[in-house]
Amino acid sequence: MQIEDVKQILEEKLEGCEVFPEGEGCNFQVTVVGDVFEGLRPVKKQQMVYACLADQIADGSIHALTIRTFTRAQWAEQN
């Protein structure tokens, strides 16, 4: 699995989000920024991202996934 593949899958399935992936092989870290996370608990945010990559996790293309999520306002504060 390539970084570009992870980015493409998440951006297609999480409409309006920006995705900043890192990693290689089957271990990835993703930062996802979008207003779809507004008002959600951290667990729900993680579940949304995992659901997008469920097939890749199930087939072993992704073994480890670290997720960071931000709304656009939170992201602006971070940067």
Side-chain angles (χ1 to χ4, degrees):
M1 181 124 242
Q2 300 294 316
I3 286 177
E4 297 82 18
D5 299 327
V6 174
K7 180 178 176 74
Q8 180 181 358
I9 291 167
L10 290 174
E11 287 182 345
E12 285 176 2
K13 293 187 178 185
L14 294 171
E15 191 171 320
C17 288
E18 291 182 80
V19 179
F20 305 96
E22 298 177 31
E24 61 185 8
C26 58
N27 299 313
F28 296 96
Q29 304 82 43
V30 294
T31 300
V32 185
V33 180
D35 290 334
V36 296
F37 301 121
E38 188 71 44
L40 298 178
R41 295 178 182 258
V43 170
K44 181 63 178 169
K45 295 175 188 181
Q46 298 251 332
Q47 288 173 336
M48 287 176 67
V49 176
Y50 275 120
C52 296
L53 297 168
D55 292 341
Q56 291 75 24
I57 293 168
D59 73 13
S61 298
I62 296 176
H63 172 70
L65 182 65
T66 303
I67 301 169
R68 295 176 55 213
T69 59
F70 298 92
T71 62
R72 294 199 182 280
Q74 291 168 331
W75 185 248
E77 290 175 14
Q78 294 285 321
N79 294 301

